[in-house]
């Protein structure tokens, strides 16, 4: 199966950081698994900005970071992942510049695509919302079927199951707790580390405390699991759901912005 996400990247902030990240030699087999469309690997940030300057539809979103992750069970090759990523862009955003990179440094092969927010044909700006994300996931599902891969079932549709799935996956991929947080950010999550560890996904309305997912998802348990210690999960009894609510003031003080860090 393939799990697809799209994360907006703001102008003059993290585009070059994202470009550097997805093109890291240790992740792309010494830059072999990198390709571009209507742009270059070295000047993409400048080229994306130039396209934005020609558009009348101004805004602070310069690019979109698309992630397509494949499960181990799919037995997909990096070359096939690259092909599927290119076909996804052809069907979804055929008139947008992009850089695509396949990462093989973790247990599951996954594809990163940095897509220019502006159409090079008419300079219109693409709209990334729940509708477009649903359309992209439908196309991704079609591509999985066409290539003999599994398709995500409905059980992953809830925010709760999605967060648990992402945490489980990134625990496997992480070498430290700090590495885990960076990977969760890369997946589009905002993070709060106050008394409890909390995450807020792109489509979520509020932060969700990880300890409400079960005993295996507390910060202490996540740290243990990263270190290779098995922690059995058990549901946590919730007496009052008020503890997951946060004020606007606290939201503004979230420790980590919606950015991607190395």
């Amino acid at each position: 199966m393939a799990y697809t996400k799209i994360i907006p990247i703001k102008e003059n902030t993290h585009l070059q950081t994202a470009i550097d990240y997805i093109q890291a030699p240790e992740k792309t087999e010494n830059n072999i698994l990198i390709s571009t469309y209507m742009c270059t690997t070295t000047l993409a940030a400048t080229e994306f900005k130039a396209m934005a300057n020609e558009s009348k539809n101004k805004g602070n979103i310069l690019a979109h970071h698309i992630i397509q992750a494949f499960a181990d069970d799919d037995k997909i090759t990096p070359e096939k992942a690259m092909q599927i990523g290119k076909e996804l862009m052809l069907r979804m955003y055929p008139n947008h510049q992009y850089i695509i990179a396949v990462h093989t440094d973790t247990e599951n092969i996954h594809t990163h695509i940095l897509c220019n927010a502006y159409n090079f044909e008419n300079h219109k700006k693409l709209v990334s919302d729940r509708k477009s994300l649903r359309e992209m996931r439908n196309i991704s599902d079609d591509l999985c079927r066409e290539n003999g891969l599994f398709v995500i079932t409905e059980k992953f549709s809830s925010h709760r199951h999605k967060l648990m799935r992402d945490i489980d996956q990134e625990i496997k991929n992480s070498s430290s707790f700090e590495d885990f947080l960076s990977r969760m950010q890369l997946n589009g999550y905002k993070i709060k580390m106050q008394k409890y560890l909390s995450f807020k996904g792109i489509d979520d309305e509020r932060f969700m405390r990880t300890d409400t997912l079960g005993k295996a998802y507390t910060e202490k348990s996540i740290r243990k699991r990263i270190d290779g210690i098995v922690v059995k999960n058990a549901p946590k009894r919730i007496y009052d759901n008020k503890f997951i609510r946060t004020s606007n003031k606290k939201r503004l003080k979230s420790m980590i912005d919606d950015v991607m860090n190395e």
Side-chain angles (χ1 to χ4, degrees):
M1 63 184 177
Y3 191 72
T4 309
K5 306 175 185 181
I6 183 167
I7 305 165
I9 297 179
K10 295 182 179 180
E11 180 179 356
N12 296 329
T13 53
H14 304 283
L15 178 56
Q16 189 59 55
T17 300
I19 291 173
D20 293 340
Y21 177 86
I22 72 168
Q23 294 187 116
E26 65 274 15
K27 300 177 182 293
T28 58
E29 298 186 6
N30 292 319
N31 301 121
I32 294 176
L33 300 173
I34 297 174
S35 185
T36 62
Y37 179 65
M38 299 293 289
C39 63
T40 62
T41 57
T42 55
L43 299 175
T46 301
E47 293 168 336
F48 280 24
K49 178 63 176 177
M51 190 69 65
N53 290 337
E54 297 182 27
S55 175
K56 296 179 180 179
N57 302 309
K58 302 299 182 183
N60 66 343
I61 303 301
L62 191 59
H64 293 271
H65 186 167
I66 299 167
I67 305 170
Q68 190 175 37
F70 298 90
D72 295 337
D73 293 341
D74 282 331
K75 305 300 181 183
I76 189 171
T77 65
E79 293 74 19
K80 176 61 69 173
M82 175 70 77
Q83 178 185 335
I84 290 175
K86 289 181 177 180
E87 185 63 28
L88 176 67
M89 291 302 297
L90 179 63
R91 299 185 188 184
M92 187 73 187
Y93 299 123
N95 298 320
H96 290 260
Q97 298 168 303
Y98 67 80
I99 301 176
I100 181 170
V102 176
H103 287 190
T104 59
D105 62 321
T106 60
E107 292 184 3
N108 68 312
I109 290 176
H110 53 284
T111 304
H112 293 268
I113 306 170
L114 291 176
C115 170
N116 193 332
Y118 294 88
N119 187 315
F120 60 69
E121 189 171 63
N122 54 26
H123 301 131
K124 288 186 177 180
K125 192 173 185 179
L126 68 83
V127 177
S128 177
D129 52 19
R130 294 187 181 185
K131 181 179 178 180
S132 63
L133 178 60
R134 184 164 54 250
E135 181 182 356
M136 177 175 290
R137 287 178 174 170
N138 288 337
I139 293 175
S140 180
D141 288 347
D142 289 342
L143 288 167
C144 285
R145 294 186 186 96
E146 293 168 16
N147 287 276
L149 305 176
F150 294 109
V151 176
I152 293 176
T153 60
E154 288 297 320
K155 70 178 181 179
F156 292 109
S157 61
S158 73
H159 299 311
R160 183 182 180 88
H161 281 101
K162 186 172 83 68
L163 177 57
M164 293 175 71
R165 176 185 179 276
D166 287 344
I167 289 175
D168 290 340
Q169 184 61 57
E170 297 310 337
I171 284 175
K172 295 179 182 178
N173 296 334
S174 301
S175 59
S176 66
F177 184 71
E178 291 70 27
D179 184 28
F180 166 78
L181 294 180
S182 293
R183 291 178 182 277
M184 290 299 288
Q185 279 188 308
L186 182 61
N187 283 324
Y189 285 99
K190 293 182 180 180
I191 307 170
K192 288 203 321 185
M193 293 182 63
Q194 298 176 343
K195 184 177 180 180
Y196 299 97
L197 176 64
S198 303
F199 292 95
K200 181 177 181 293
I202 298 172
D203 296 328
D204 298 341
E205 295 181 358
R206 61 183 62 174
F207 282 88
M208 182 177 295
R209 279 174 38 178
T210 60
D211 63 306
T212 66
L213 303 175
K215 292 183 178 179
Y217 295 89
T218 64
E219 179 180 341
K220 183 178 180 180
S221 293
I222 290 173
R223 289 178 181 272
K224 287 183 177 180
R225 292 169 65 189
I226 291 172
D227 291 335
I229 301 172
V230 177
V231 179
K232 292 184 178 181
N233 196 32
K236 177 176 180 178
R237 187 175 180 184
I238 300 175
Y239 296 93
D240 187 346
N241 67 356
K242 290 182 180 180
F243 68 92
I244 65 172
R245 297 176 183 171
T246 55
S247 67
N248 290 332
K249 183 177 180 179
K250 287 184 178 180
R251 290 176 191 275
L252 293 173
K253 292 182 178 179
S254 298
M255 291 184 65
I256 302 178
D257 194 13
D258 54 344
V259 299
M260 190 210 70
N261 293 323
E262 181 62 33

